[in-house]
Amino acid sequence: MAMTSRRSWPSSMGRHQLDFVLLLVAVGISVPLFALLPSLSLLPSLPRGEKLQIITSSRKFYIKDDIFWKDGIAFQIIGGDLHYFRVLPEYWEDRLLKAKTLGLNTIQVYVPWNLHEPKPGMMVFEGIGDLVSFLKLCQKLDFLVMLRAGPYICGEWDLGGFPAWVLAVKPRLQLRTSDPAYLKLVERWWDVLLPKVFPLLYSNGGPVIMVQMEGEEKLLRKELSLRMMSTQIYTVDFTTGDDPWPIFELQKKFNAPGRSPPLSSEFYTGWLTHWGEKIAKTDAEFTAASLEKILSRNGSAVLYMVHGGTNFGFYNGANTGSTEFDYKPDLTSYDYDAPIKESGDIDNPKFQALQRVIKKYNAVPHSITPSKQLKAYGSIKMQMTTSLFDLVSMTDPADVITSSNPISMESAGQMFGFLLYESSYITKKSGNILKIPKVHDRAQVFVSCFSQDVDVRVLRYIGTTERWNNQPLSLPITECNSNTSLFILVENMGRVNYGPYIFDEKGILSSVYLDGQILHGWKMIPIPFHNLNQMPNPSFEMHCTKKRSEQFNLTNDVSQKEPALFAGEFFIDSAEEIKDTYLSFNGWGKGVAFVNKFNIGRYWPSVGPQCNLYVPAPLLKPGKNTLVIFELESPHLELWLESVDMQDFTCGSNDSKVNQL
């Protein structure tokens, strides 16, 4: 369906339009911009404030007469976004080759600060975070690179790329402002990142032609003047289908004369999808025709996305509506309806339509990279191994935090996943009313006491309260010998990555009220699941494989809605049989899944639209493969999971919001 007006986009689609306003209007405040960069090796060490005389190498990428020039030859950027942190390193080359097959000559990529500095001062640039290897691979495959270094990236990524620990800094930081404490952290991060980038600048023999950094103007200018002389260019993005050329004329007003080659730095091939919406789709021929309007008049464009990939781990972002309670977390899949699908498939109408257009303007030979086959490994029998209360009993007491009132996840040092809040109260004969005014993002409430019959505790599920549907809960009458224990399991479903509510702390962020009175005396108990760039907790394997006692087997009632770990195994006969697959969670409730200890992301088929989680072949191995899930509410009645060979975005209710472009 063609889009005729920016106003016709659903309200959830304001994210990139406002990027456009920010780029063009907010000059001198805190703006993202691109800088064309000369050689690092030629920059002498001079006192701050001294001007530098730069003599660049023979390799030059520059702007003149509103045209990009590469080594003296006019150059049209035909690029695409491809994020190394959403693709396993083993597949980087496959996805890049497919981008080359499409006809691209440039790759645009974000750098997520939170992936690289998960804890203050702890820098990670290995594995899926090996930025330098990714950039060198781009160069090996003859791509130029536009590097979006942040520190804020948006990108449907948790907290817009900021590390979650910045939310625990006191006094509170003012993100994306000239707050000196915030800028000091940014400068410290750039002091680590930029030296890795400078040797890879184009004039140093590398692939990087531009760097986009968002920062307070004085800090940005200091970084540019001390480390490099540069040409700045403000770019635009706009709704696919808009007439691009009046917008390119507007772009010129924010660049120096002759320094404004028409560039759409985010040409949308699709769109994001939140849980509870229908999957976003854009028409292939319409998208291709819109791109041709730019390329046919020597304009440049970067496809956002050429390949979306997957929000592995807990790194998906979220958006909000008019209030912070109108919360919309993103799917695990970041397929984005891009021409290269989540599994790398290019046998689709959008890839073919865009390729037909691009090949008219890029004479680079197009190699053929056939898509890999997917494989269904069939049914996987799951077994309940560890209840939530088992997990609590295994927690090191030194990791438990006590306080009068609940504290946030970040303040408790638990940046992702789940935090269990425990308190106690005296049951009234008429029952009690529980109210949590502010919870981010979803809280499941349980009560417990020592049973009269068996020497174990049984958690009784009471109900769920959510950020977007915050209702009081009635606590039932219990016959406990002492105070009744109250447990509240809070899930962090992904931090807001864009807009006025980006300072998105997680957990219980208010007092908890029992019958209108503040309930004091809390324990915060971490549930230690690892994220994308973390090694599994040493006790994780024990949690997953621990066999329940005979006593617990007697109460193994999957209808009780007590969160629990379930484990299963499937076997692959040989290395030749290892292929990409999808795990279908139809019939399950909500949770997170691990394949051979790798966090493949969240599932929530009852809300949808995503039914299946992508499992890339490099995660698998010949012989036994393990699958562990932390199911929060409703296990499949027969405890089966299916390994299937296709995507599926048909889950959820029929009244899901339409996200069709």
Side-chain angles (χ1 to χ4, degrees), residues 381-387 529 543-545 548 556-559 562-569 588 592-594 603 626-636 638-641:
K381 182 65 175 177
M382 306 298 290
Q383 178 183 4
M384 185 177 177
T385 63
T386 316
S387 71
F529 293 112
H543 289 170
C544 299
T545 59
R548 291 171 60 92
N556 190 6
D557 180 0
V558 298
S559 67
E562 179 183 352
L565 284 167
F566 293 80
E569 299 173 350
W588 291 79
V592 60
F594 302 82
Y603 62 89
T626 60
L627 168 62
V628 174
I629 63 175
F630 185 48
E631 169 60 50
L632 293 173
E633 48 185 35
S634 302
H636 189 286
E638 297 177 356
L639 298 184
W640 287 102
L641 268 167

mmCIF file of all heavy atoms in Angstrom, residues 381-387 529 543-545 548 556-559 562-569 588 592-594 603 626-636 638-641:
data_model
loop_
_atom_site.group_PDB
_atom_site.id
_atom_site.type_symbol
_atom_site.label_atom_id
_atom_site.label_comp_id
_atom_site.label_asym_id
_atom_site.label_seq_id
_atom_site.Cartn_x
_atom_site.Cartn_y
_atom_site.Cartn_z
ATOM 1 N N LYS A 381 11.043 -32.616 23.531
ATOM 2 C CA LYS A 381 10.330 -32.830 24.786
ATOM 3 C C LYS A 381 11.010 -32.037 25.894
ATOM 4 O O LYS A 381 12.223 -32.141 26.100
ATOM 5 C CB LYS A 381 10.329 -34.322 25.157
ATOM 6 C CG LYS A 381 9.571 -34.647 26.442
ATOM 7 C CD LYS A 381 8.082 -34.352 26.314
ATOM 8 C CE LYS A 381 7.327 -34.788 27.558
ATOM 9 N NZ LYS A 381 5.883 -34.441 27.464
ATOM 10 N N MET A 382 10.228 -31.218 26.604
ATOM 11 C CA MET A 382 10.758 -30.385 27.672
ATOM 12 C C MET A 382 10.394 -30.980 29.030
ATOM 13 O O MET A 382 9.367 -31.636 29.188
ATOM 14 C CB MET A 382 10.209 -28.965 27.556
ATOM 15 C CG MET A 382 10.435 -28.304 26.201
ATOM 16 S SD MET A 382 12.177 -28.087 25.785
ATOM 17 C CE MET A 382 12.637 -26.803 26.952
ATOM 18 N N GLN A 383 11.240 -30.712 30.013
ATOM 19 C CA GLN A 383 10.987 -31.181 31.372
ATOM 20 C C GLN A 383 11.208 -30.029 32.334
ATOM 21 O O GLN A 383 12.196 -29.301 32.232
ATOM 22 C CB GLN A 383 11.928 -32.332 31.738
ATOM 23 C CG GLN A 383 11.734 -32.834 33.166
ATOM 24 C CD GLN A 383 12.733 -33.920 33.537
ATOM 25 O OE1 GLN A 383 13.620 -34.238 32.757
ATOM 26 N NE2 GLN A 383 12.587 -34.478 34.736
ATOM 27 N N MET A 384 10.305 -29.877 33.259
ATOM 28 C CA MET A 384 10.469 -28.861 34.288
ATOM 29 C C MET A 384 11.628 -29.261 35.203
ATOM 30 O O MET A 384 11.640 -30.360 35.751
ATOM 31 C CB MET A 384 9.182 -28.716 35.092
ATOM 32 C CG MET A 384 9.214 -27.590 36.103
ATOM 33 S SD MET A 384 7.612 -27.427 36.937
ATOM 34 C CE MET A 384 7.952 -26.119 38.092
ATOM 35 N N THR A 385 12.603 -28.377 35.334
ATOM 36 C CA THR A 385 13.788 -28.714 36.125
ATOM 37 C C THR A 385 13.912 -27.900 37.397
ATOM 38 O O THR A 385 14.386 -28.406 38.415
ATOM 39 C CB THR A 385 15.068 -28.502 35.300
ATOM 40 O OG1 THR A 385 15.188 -27.117 34.959
ATOM 41 C CG2 THR A 385 15.064 -29.349 34.041
ATOM 42 N N THR A 386 13.506 -26.637 37.347
ATOM 43 C CA THR A 386 13.762 -25.747 38.481
ATOM 44 C C THR A 386 12.628 -24.741 38.607
ATOM 45 O O THR A 386 12.358 -23.998 37.668
ATOM 46 C CB THR A 386 15.088 -24.981 38.289
ATOM 47 O OG1 THR A 386 16.089 -25.869 37.823
ATOM 48 C CG2 THR A 386 15.544 -24.332 39.578
ATOM 49 N N SER A 387 11.980 -24.705 39.748
ATOM 50 C CA SER A 387 10.921 -23.732 39.972
ATOM 51 C C SER A 387 11.517 -22.386 40.354
ATOM 52 O O SER A 387 12.702 -22.278 40.685
ATOM 53 C CB SER A 387 9.995 -24.206 41.094
ATOM 54 O OG SER A 387 10.677 -24.124 42.344
ATOM 55 N N PHE A 529 20.106 -14.479 34.894
ATOM 56 C CA PHE A 529 20.214 -14.902 33.498
ATOM 57 C C PHE A 529 21.176 -13.979 32.763
ATOM 58 O O PHE A 529 21.134 -12.764 32.921
ATOM 59 C CB PHE A 529 18.847 -14.877 32.820
ATOM 60 C CG PHE A 529 17.905 -15.912 33.369
ATOM 61 C CD1 PHE A 529 16.795 -15.534 34.093
ATOM 62 C CD2 PHE A 529 18.147 -17.259 33.168
ATOM 63 C CE1 PHE A 529 15.928 -16.483 34.605
ATOM 64 C CE2 PHE A 529 17.293 -18.215 33.675
ATOM 65 C CZ PHE A 529 16.173 -17.824 34.403
ATOM 66 N N HIS A 543 21.321 -24.786 37.533
ATOM 67 C CA HIS A 543 19.903 -24.425 37.573
ATOM 68 C C HIS A 543 19.127 -25.166 36.496
ATOM 69 O O HIS A 543 18.008 -25.619 36.705
ATOM 70 C CB HIS A 543 19.747 -22.918 37.345
ATOM 71 C CG HIS A 543 20.232 -22.096 38.499
ATOM 72 N ND1 HIS A 543 20.360 -20.723 38.397
ATOM 73 C CD2 HIS A 543 20.620 -22.419 39.745
ATOM 74 C CE1 HIS A 543 20.819 -20.250 39.553
ATOM 75 N NE2 HIS A 543 20.986 -21.255 40.374
ATOM 76 N N CYS A 544 19.735 -25.270 35.309
ATOM 77 C CA CYS A 544 19.018 -25.813 34.171
ATOM 78 C C CYS A 544 18.832 -27.321 34.256
ATOM 79 O O CYS A 544 17.849 -27.861 33.764
ATOM 80 C CB CYS A 544 19.759 -25.478 32.883
ATOM 81 S SG CYS A 544 19.902 -23.707 32.590
ATOM 82 N N THR A 545 19.799 -28.011 34.819
ATOM 83 C CA THR A 545 19.781 -29.469 34.774
ATOM 84 C C THR A 545 19.408 -30.125 36.092
ATOM 85 O O THR A 545 19.274 -31.332 36.166
ATOM 86 C CB THR A 545 21.162 -29.995 34.350
ATOM 87 O OG1 THR A 545 22.144 -29.531 35.289
ATOM 88 C CG2 THR A 545 21.526 -29.499 32.966
ATOM 89 N N ARG A 548 14.193 -32.017 39.809
ATOM 90 C CA ARG A 548 13.312 -31.694 40.931
ATOM 91 C C ARG A 548 13.203 -32.889 41.874
ATOM 92 O O ARG A 548 13.285 -34.043 41.463
ATOM 93 C CB ARG A 548 11.926 -31.325 40.412
ATOM 94 C CG ARG A 548 11.901 -30.007 39.653
ATOM 95 C CD ARG A 548 10.547 -29.797 38.982
ATOM 96 N NE ARG A 548 9.472 -29.760 39.958
ATOM 97 C CZ ARG A 548 9.029 -28.644 40.519
ATOM 98 N NH1 ARG A 548 9.580 -27.503 40.221
ATOM 99 N NH2 ARG A 548 8.050 -28.682 41.384
ATOM 100 N N ASN A 556 3.902 -31.043 40.353
ATOM 101 C CA ASN A 556 4.296 -30.524 39.044
ATOM 102 C C ASN A 556 3.052 -30.240 38.200
ATOM 103 O O ASN A 556 2.759 -30.917 37.222
ATOM 104 C CB ASN A 556 5.219 -31.519 38.346
ATOM 105 C CG ASN A 556 5.856 -30.923 37.104
ATOM 106 O OD1 ASN A 556 5.693 -29.744 36.823
ATOM 107 N ND2 ASN A 556 6.583 -31.759 36.363
ATOM 108 N N ASP A 557 2.318 -29.226 38.605
ATOM 109 C CA ASP A 557 1.084 -28.829 37.932
ATOM 110 C C ASP A 557 1.376 -27.595 37.096
ATOM 111 O O ASP A 557 1.570 -26.500 37.623
ATOM 112 C CB ASP A 557 0.004 -28.534 38.976
ATOM 113 C CG ASP A 557 -1.317 -28.102 38.341
ATOM 114 O OD1 ASP A 557 -1.384 -28.045 37.097
ATOM 115 O OD2 ASP A 557 -2.259 -27.825 39.093
ATOM 116 N N VAL A 558 1.429 -27.757 35.774
ATOM 117 C CA VAL A 558 1.818 -26.644 34.914
ATOM 118 C C VAL A 558 0.755 -25.551 34.855
ATOM 119 O O VAL A 558 0.985 -24.492 34.291
ATOM 120 C CB VAL A 558 2.132 -27.144 33.485
ATOM 121 C CG1 VAL A 558 3.296 -28.096 33.499
ATOM 122 C CG2 VAL A 558 0.905 -27.791 32.844
ATOM 123 N N SER A 559 -0.402 -25.795 35.424
ATOM 124 C CA SER A 559 -1.450 -24.769 35.416
ATOM 125 C C SER A 559 -1.297 -23.773 36.558
ATOM 126 O O SER A 559 -2.055 -22.821 36.667
ATOM 127 C CB SER A 559 -2.828 -25.436 35.506
ATOM 128 O OG SER A 559 -2.989 -26.067 36.775
ATOM 129 N N GLU A 562 3.455 -20.817 38.130
ATOM 130 C CA GLU A 562 4.690 -20.450 38.805
ATOM 131 C C GLU A 562 5.815 -20.481 37.787
ATOM 132 O O GLU A 562 6.030 -21.507 37.135
ATOM 133 C CB GLU A 562 5.022 -21.395 39.955
ATOM 134 C CG GLU A 562 6.330 -21.001 40.644
ATOM 135 C CD GLU A 562 6.751 -21.963 41.751
ATOM 136 O OE1 GLU A 562 5.950 -22.851 42.092
ATOM 137 O OE2 GLU A 562 7.870 -21.815 42.259
ATOM 138 N N PRO A 563 6.547 -19.375 37.584
ATOM 139 C CA PRO A 563 7.662 -19.380 36.637
ATOM 140 C C PRO A 563 8.641 -20.490 36.956
ATOM 141 O O PRO A 563 8.906 -20.801 38.120
ATOM 142 C CB PRO A 563 8.296 -17.998 36.843
ATOM 143 C CG PRO A 563 7.170 -17.145 37.330
ATOM 144 C CD PRO A 563 6.336 -18.045 38.190
ATOM 145 N N ALA A 564 9.183 -21.099 35.905
ATOM 146 C CA ALA A 564 10.077 -22.235 36.102
ATOM 147 C C ALA A 564 10.976 -22.408 34.888
ATOM 148 O O ALA A 564 10.662 -21.952 33.785
ATOM 149 C CB ALA A 564 9.280 -23.514 36.345
ATOM 150 N N LEU A 565 12.096 -23.075 35.114
ATOM 151 C CA LEU A 565 12.982 -23.471 34.028
ATOM 152 C C LEU A 565 12.540 -24.816 33.474
ATOM 153 O O LEU A 565 12.191 -25.729 34.230
ATOM 154 C CB LEU A 565 14.420 -23.583 34.535
ATOM 155 C CG LEU A 565 15.173 -22.278 34.778
ATOM 156 C CD1 LEU A 565 16.447 -22.547 35.566
ATOM 157 C CD2 LEU A 565 15.502 -21.585 33.474
ATOM 158 N N PHE A 566 12.559 -24.905 32.157
ATOM 159 C CA PHE A 566 12.285 -26.161 31.470
ATOM 160 C C PHE A 566 13.471 -26.456 30.565
ATOM 161 O O PHE A 566 14.021 -25.549 29.937
ATOM 162 C CB PHE A 566 11.004 -26.066 30.634
ATOM 163 C CG PHE A 566 9.749 -25.917 31.452
ATOM 164 C CD1 PHE A 566 9.387 -24.682 31.980
ATOM 165 C CD2 PHE A 566 8.929 -27.010 31.695
ATOM 166 C CE1 PHE A 566 8.235 -24.536 32.741
ATOM 167 C CE2 PHE A 566 7.773 -26.870 32.450
ATOM 168 C CZ PHE A 566 7.423 -25.637 32.975
ATOM 169 N N ALA A 567 13.861 -27.709 30.490
ATOM 170 C CA ALA A 567 15.011 -28.089 29.681
ATOM 171 C C ALA A 567 14.642 -29.240 28.754
ATOM 172 O O ALA A 567 13.797 -30.083 29.070
ATOM 173 C CB ALA A 567 16.179 -28.496 30.576
ATOM 174 N N GLY A 568 15.281 -29.249 27.582
ATOM 175 C CA GLY A 568 15.089 -30.323 26.617
ATOM 176 C C GLY A 568 16.346 -30.504 25.789
ATOM 177 O O GLY A 568 17.260 -29.675 25.827
ATOM 178 N N GLU A 569 16.381 -31.578 25.036
ATOM 179 C CA GLU A 569 17.535 -31.894 24.197
ATOM 180 C C GLU A 569 17.064 -32.311 22.813
ATOM 181 O O GLU A 569 15.982 -32.872 22.658
ATOM 182 C CB GLU A 569 18.352 -33.040 24.816
ATOM 183 C CG GLU A 569 18.906 -32.737 26.190
ATOM 184 C CD GLU A 569 19.553 -33.960 26.840
ATOM 185 O OE1 GLU A 569 19.389 -35.079 26.284
ATOM 186 O OE2 GLU A 569 20.191 -33.811 27.891
ATOM 187 N N TRP A 588 2.933 -22.127 24.257
ATOM 188 C CA TRP A 588 3.613 -21.671 25.464
ATOM 189 C C TRP A 588 3.152 -20.260 25.808
ATOM 190 O O TRP A 588 2.390 -19.642 25.057
ATOM 191 C CB TRP A 588 5.129 -21.725 25.274
ATOM 192 C CG TRP A 588 5.654 -23.130 25.181
ATOM 193 C CD1 TRP A 588 5.617 -23.951 24.082
ATOM 194 C CD2 TRP A 588 6.238 -23.899 26.235
ATOM 195 N NE1 TRP A 588 6.157 -25.189 24.390
ATOM 196 C CE2 TRP A 588 6.559 -25.183 25.700
ATOM 197 C CE3 TRP A 588 6.542 -23.638 27.573
ATOM 198 C CZ2 TRP A 588 7.146 -26.189 26.467
ATOM 199 C CZ3 TRP A 588 7.145 -24.635 28.325
ATOM 200 C CH2 TRP A 588 7.434 -25.893 27.787
ATOM 201 N N VAL A 592 11.935 -16.506 28.017
ATOM 202 C CA VAL A 592 13.201 -16.295 27.325
ATOM 203 C C VAL A 592 13.836 -17.663 27.117
ATOM 204 O O VAL A 592 13.645 -18.580 27.921
ATOM 205 C CB VAL A 592 14.115 -15.347 28.133
ATOM 206 C CG1 VAL A 592 14.429 -15.915 29.509
ATOM 207 C CG2 VAL A 592 15.398 -15.028 27.387
ATOM 208 N N ALA A 593 14.592 -17.801 26.004
ATOM 209 C CA ALA A 593 15.103 -19.114 25.617
ATOM 210 C C ALA A 593 16.611 -19.082 25.405
ATOM 211 O O ALA A 593 17.170 -18.077 24.955
ATOM 212 C CB ALA A 593 14.407 -19.600 24.341
ATOM 213 N N PHE A 594 17.246 -20.211 25.715
ATOM 214 C CA PHE A 594 18.690 -20.371 25.574
ATOM 215 C C PHE A 594 18.969 -21.654 24.790
ATOM 216 O O PHE A 594 18.467 -22.718 25.150
ATOM 217 C CB PHE A 594 19.372 -20.467 26.942
ATOM 218 C CG PHE A 594 19.135 -19.282 27.835
ATOM 219 C CD1 PHE A 594 17.965 -19.176 28.579
ATOM 220 C CD2 PHE A 594 20.073 -18.272 27.929
ATOM 221 C CE1 PHE A 594 17.737 -18.081 29.399
ATOM 222 C CE2 PHE A 594 19.856 -17.174 28.754
ATOM 223 C CZ PHE A 594 18.690 -17.077 29.487
ATOM 224 N N TYR A 603 10.193 -14.796 23.920
ATOM 225 C CA TYR A 603 9.025 -15.273 23.175
ATOM 226 C C TYR A 603 7.767 -14.861 23.924
ATOM 227 O O TYR A 603 7.752 -14.735 25.150
ATOM 228 C CB TYR A 603 9.082 -16.795 22.973
ATOM 229 C CG TYR A 603 9.054 -17.606 24.247
ATOM 230 C CD1 TYR A 603 7.852 -18.013 24.834
ATOM 231 C CD2 TYR A 603 10.237 -17.988 24.882
ATOM 232 C CE1 TYR A 603 7.825 -18.756 26.006
ATOM 233 C CE2 TYR A 603 10.224 -18.739 26.055
ATOM 234 C CZ TYR A 603 9.013 -19.113 26.610
ATOM 235 O OH TYR A 603 8.981 -19.835 27.776
ATOM 236 N N THR A 626 21.284 -28.521 23.705
ATOM 237 C CA THR A 626 20.395 -28.266 24.841
ATOM 238 C C THR A 626 19.554 -27.018 24.608
ATOM 239 O O THR A 626 20.023 -26.021 24.041
ATOM 240 C CB THR A 626 21.193 -28.090 26.145
ATOM 241 O OG1 THR A 626 22.093 -26.980 26.007
ATOM 242 C CG2 THR A 626 21.987 -29.338 26.458
ATOM 243 N N LEU A 627 18.337 -27.091 25.028
ATOM 244 C CA LEU A 627 17.403 -25.966 24.989
ATOM 245 C C LEU A 627 16.877 -25.750 26.397
ATOM 246 O O LEU A 627 16.369 -26.692 27.021
ATOM 247 C CB LEU A 627 16.246 -26.259 24.028
ATOM 248 C CG LEU A 627 15.047 -25.308 24.075
ATOM 249 C CD1 LEU A 627 15.459 -23.887 23.690
ATOM 250 C CD2 LEU A 627 13.934 -25.811 23.166
ATOM 251 N N VAL A 628 17.015 -24.532 26.898
ATOM 252 C CA VAL A 628 16.496 -24.182 28.218
ATOM 253 C C VAL A 628 15.619 -22.953 28.065
ATOM 254 O O VAL A 628 15.993 -21.987 27.374
ATOM 255 C CB VAL A 628 17.640 -23.890 29.211
ATOM 256 C CG1 VAL A 628 17.094 -23.384 30.541
ATOM 257 C CG2 VAL A 628 18.487 -25.135 29.429
ATOM 258 N N ILE A 629 14.447 -22.982 28.661
ATOM 259 C CA ILE A 629 13.577 -21.807 28.633
ATOM 260 C C ILE A 629 13.151 -21.459 30.058
ATOM 261 O O ILE A 629 13.003 -22.333 30.912
ATOM 262 C CB ILE A 629 12.333 -22.018 27.739
ATOM 263 C CG1 ILE A 629 11.435 -23.138 28.276
ATOM 264 C CG2 ILE A 629 12.749 -22.315 26.308
ATOM 265 C CD1 ILE A 629 10.142 -23.286 27.499
ATOM 266 N N PHE A 630 13.014 -20.174 30.288
ATOM 267 C CA PHE A 630 12.443 -19.688 31.544
ATOM 268 C C PHE A 630 11.029 -19.258 31.213
ATOM 269 O O PHE A 630 10.804 -18.187 30.637
ATOM 270 C CB PHE A 630 13.264 -18.528 32.093
ATOM 271 C CG PHE A 630 12.808 -18.040 33.447
ATOM 272 C CD1 PHE A 630 12.572 -18.927 34.486
ATOM 273 C CD2 PHE A 630 12.644 -16.678 33.684
ATOM 274 C CE1 PHE A 630 12.161 -18.478 35.732
ATOM 275 C CE2 PHE A 630 12.234 -16.215 34.930
ATOM 276 C CZ PHE A 630 11.993 -17.117 35.958
ATOM 277 N N GLU A 631 10.080 -20.140 31.498
ATOM 278 C CA GLU A 631 8.673 -19.900 31.190
ATOM 279 C C GLU A 631 8.025 -19.194 32.368
ATOM 280 O O GLU A 631 8.094 -19.647 33.505
ATOM 281 C CB GLU A 631 7.959 -21.221 30.900
ATOM 282 C CG GLU A 631 6.448 -21.148 30.832
ATOM 283 C CD GLU A 631 5.944 -20.210 29.752
ATOM 284 O OE1 GLU A 631 6.394 -20.331 28.602
ATOM 285 O OE2 GLU A 631 5.101 -19.344 30.071
ATOM 286 N N LEU A 632 7.370 -18.063 32.080
ATOM 287 C CA LEU A 632 6.836 -17.220 33.139
ATOM 288 C C LEU A 632 5.430 -17.588 33.569
ATOM 289 O O LEU A 632 5.041 -17.301 34.704
ATOM 290 C CB LEU A 632 6.850 -15.755 32.689
ATOM 291 C CG LEU A 632 8.230 -15.131 32.495
ATOM 292 C CD1 LEU A 632 8.106 -13.745 31.886
ATOM 293 C CD2 LEU A 632 8.967 -15.057 33.822
ATOM 294 N N GLU A 633 4.657 -18.198 32.671
ATOM 295 C CA GLU A 633 3.255 -18.334 33.069
ATOM 296 C C GLU A 633 2.566 -19.614 32.615
ATOM 297 O O GLU A 633 1.989 -20.330 33.426
ATOM 298 C CB GLU A 633 2.448 -17.119 32.590
ATOM 299 C CG GLU A 633 2.654 -16.739 31.150
ATOM 300 C CD GLU A 633 1.925 -15.459 30.791
ATOM 301 O OE1 GLU A 633 1.839 -14.552 31.637
ATOM 302 O OE2 GLU A 633 1.439 -15.386 29.671
ATOM 303 N N SER A 634 2.563 -19.960 31.331
ATOM 304 C CA SER A 634 1.695 -21.037 30.859
ATOM 305 C C SER A 634 2.458 -22.011 29.975
ATOM 306 O O SER A 634 2.488 -21.854 28.753
ATOM 307 C CB SER A 634 0.508 -20.454 30.061
ATOM 308 O OG SER A 634 -0.234 -19.561 30.852
ATOM 309 N N PRO A 635 3.086 -23.026 30.550
ATOM 310 C CA PRO A 635 3.781 -24.017 29.726
ATOM 311 C C PRO A 635 2.815 -24.750 28.804
ATOM 312 O O PRO A 635 1.618 -24.859 29.082
ATOM 313 C CB PRO A 635 4.376 -24.985 30.761
ATOM 314 C CG PRO A 635 4.368 -24.236 32.055
ATOM 315 C CD PRO A 635 3.209 -23.297 31.994
ATOM 316 N N HIS A 636 3.338 -25.216 27.698
ATOM 317 C CA HIS A 636 2.573 -26.089 26.812
ATOM 318 C C HIS A 636 2.084 -27.288 27.625
ATOM 319 O O HIS A 636 2.844 -27.893 28.378
ATOM 320 C CB HIS A 636 3.478 -26.545 25.668
ATOM 321 C CG HIS A 636 2.770 -27.277 24.578
ATOM 322 N ND1 HIS A 636 2.320 -28.574 24.707
ATOM 323 C CD2 HIS A 636 2.454 -26.896 23.318
ATOM 324 C CE1 HIS A 636 1.756 -28.959 23.584
ATOM 325 N NE2 HIS A 636 1.822 -27.962 22.718
ATOM 326 N N GLU A 638 1.496 -30.279 27.010
ATOM 327 C CA GLU A 638 2.207 -31.536 26.803
ATOM 328 C C GLU A 638 3.715 -31.349 26.855
ATOM 329 O O GLU A 638 4.473 -32.294 26.604
ATOM 330 C CB GLU A 638 1.789 -32.153 25.463
ATOM 331 C CG GLU A 638 0.302 -32.513 25.423
ATOM 332 C CD GLU A 638 -0.114 -33.062 24.062
ATOM 333 O OE1 GLU A 638 0.737 -33.085 23.142
ATOM 334 O OE2 GLU A 638 -1.274 -33.467 23.930
ATOM 335 N N LEU A 639 4.167 -30.133 27.177
ATOM 336 C CA LEU A 639 5.593 -29.823 27.343
ATOM 337 C C LEU A 639 6.414 -30.160 26.094
ATOM 338 O O LEU A 639 7.522 -30.691 26.170
ATOM 339 C CB LEU A 639 6.166 -30.541 28.564
ATOM 340 C CG LEU A 639 5.544 -30.166 29.924
ATOM 341 C CD1 LEU A 639 6.276 -30.892 31.041
ATOM 342 C CD2 LEU A 639 5.586 -28.664 30.151
ATOM 343 N N TRP A 640 5.867 -29.797 24.917
ATOM 344 C CA TRP A 640 6.587 -29.985 23.662
ATOM 345 C C TRP A 640 6.941 -28.631 23.061
ATOM 346 O O TRP A 640 6.201 -27.664 23.176
ATOM 347 C CB TRP A 640 5.728 -30.743 22.641
ATOM 348 C CG TRP A 640 5.544 -32.198 22.925
ATOM 349 C CD1 TRP A 640 4.443 -32.797 23.469
ATOM 350 C CD2 TRP A 640 6.478 -33.245 22.678
ATOM 351 N NE1 TRP A 640 4.626 -34.136 23.587
ATOM 352 C CE2 TRP A 640 5.878 -34.462 23.102
ATOM 353 C CE3 TRP A 640 7.770 -33.296 22.140
ATOM 354 C CZ2 TRP A 640 6.519 -35.688 23.007
ATOM 355 C CZ3 TRP A 640 8.404 -34.524 22.043
ATOM 356 C CH2 TRP A 640 7.783 -35.701 22.473
ATOM 357 N N LEU A 641 8.092 -28.583 22.390
ATOM 358 C CA LEU A 641 8.473 -27.470 21.522
ATOM 359 C C LEU A 641 8.786 -28.043 20.154
ATOM 360 O O LEU A 641 9.191 -29.210 20.033
ATOM 361 C CB LEU A 641 9.713 -26.750 22.056
ATOM 362 C CG LEU A 641 9.497 -25.561 22.991
ATOM 363 C CD1 LEU A 641 10.803 -25.191 23.663
ATOM 364 C CD2 LEU A 641 8.971 -24.362 22.209
#
